[in-house]
Amino acid sequence: MSQRHVQLLNLILDEEAIELAELRKRSAHFYEMKNPYKALVRDLSYLITLEAISARPHAEKSDILISIRLEWPTRITETEFFRKVKEMPKAKVHGFLSS
């Protein structure tokens, strides 16, 4: 789990639940890159796959509501956490090194 994932979790934890549009604004400084929205969605997908957060349609707006799963640390074992992390796609930061 990267520092950026931890920062995202902290932002979501501060609010308990946050709209995707608001999270995008508040996390913009984490993503100073070519396509920041794509990176945010990738990071959120990673956290959803780990079951640390959940995403569902907002009841009143056409947005996605992201919420922290407070019970997650007590429900996932260390073995399962590392298994899920191992199954995640690898970053392509150094393409020639990761092949």
Side-chain angles (χ1 to χ4, degrees), residues 23-35:
L23 183 60
R24 184 178 183 180
K25 289 179 205 170
R26 295 179 72 190
S27 66
H29 62 283
F30 302 159
Y31 298 98
E32 296 178 6
M33 55 191 62
K34 186 176 178 181
N35 194 337

Side-chain angles (χ1 to χ4, degrees), residues 42-80:
R42 183 181 58 240
D43 288 348
L44 290 173
S45 281
Y46 176 83
L47 294 170
I48 290 168
T49 300
L50 287 176
E51 299 176 2
I53 63 171
S54 65
R56 64 184 190 284
H58 196 291
E60 301 162 5
K61 298 180 181 178
S62 62
D63 203 349
I64 304 293
L65 195 60
I66 309 291
S67 57
I68 199 89
R69 296 189 65 226
L70 295 174
E71 75 282 357
W72 178 72
T74 61
R75 301 193 102 200
I76 191 166
T77 64
E78 186 175 345
T79 305
E80 184 165 344

Side-chain angles (χ1 to χ4, degrees), residues 8 10-12 14-15 17-31:
L8 273 177
N10 283 327
L11 270 178
I12 299 166
D14 287 344
E15 300 294 323
I18 189 168
E19 295 170 1
L20 180 57
E22 181 64 21
L23 183 60
R24 184 178 183 180
K25 289 179 205 170
R26 295 179 72 190
S27 66
H29 62 283
F30 302 159
Y31 298 98

